[in-house]
Amino acid sequence: MIEKEKRAQRHHFSTVKIGDEASEARQRVYQKMFWLSNDPEILALLDGGYERFEIHTASRILSEHEDEVFLNHCPKCGRLARTPKAKQCRYCGNDWHG
């Protein structure tokens, strides 16, 4: 992730951790530690919710580094295997060992 994405993720995790009803003192501490952000660019990354942020970030990483990332898909059902070296599908049970 780029730095702004890391800051947006940290902001989201911190807001979840301290909750909606956090005291102003606690919020100031989190801002002082740079766990919360007031930066409009950082907050804009989270505008559509955290799931949208994750999808957008993952798509950006995959498009910028497509030659470095290997996604191991099951040859039978096409779903993503658990690891890059997996040889058995956890969804359909297909086994493609040697």
Side-chain angles (χ1 to χ4, degrees):
M1 285 193 279
I2 60 175
E3 187 58 34
K4 287 183 182 186
E5 291 166 342
K6 290 178 187 176
R7 289 178 58 201
Q9 185 182 49
R10 189 178 318 124
H11 176 85
H12 171 75
F13 289 161
S14 296
T15 57
V16 169
K17 182 176 181 177
I18 65 173
D20 295 334
E21 312 252 334
S23 68
E24 287 184 33
R26 185 173 227 179
Q27 287 181 1
R28 279 195 305 271
V29 168
Y30 271 62
Q31 286 177 337
K32 188 182 262 189
M33 299 295 291
F34 300 105
W35 293 337
L36 291 177
S37 177
N38 291 328
D39 185 343
E41 285 185 64
I42 302 301
L43 299 176
L45 290 172
L46 296 165
D47 270 349
Y50 187 71
E51 187 174 332
R52 183 171 175 256
F53 164 76
E54 279 187 318
I55 292 169
H56 177 11
T57 302
S59 298
R60 183 195 61 74
I61 291 169
L62 285 173
S63 68
E64 289 179 9
H65 302 280
E66 62 186 294
D67 56 329
E68 301 169 40
V69 178
F70 171 69
L71 298 177
N72 184 14
H73 293 277
C74 171
K76 184 176 179 183
C77 71
R79 294 183 78 176
L80 191 61
R82 190 178 300 263
T83 70
K85 294 182 178 185
K87 299 285 185 185
Q88 185 173 358
C89 182
R90 63 181 160 167
Y91 302 105
C92 70
N94 183 37
D95 189 322
W96 61 96
H97 286 90

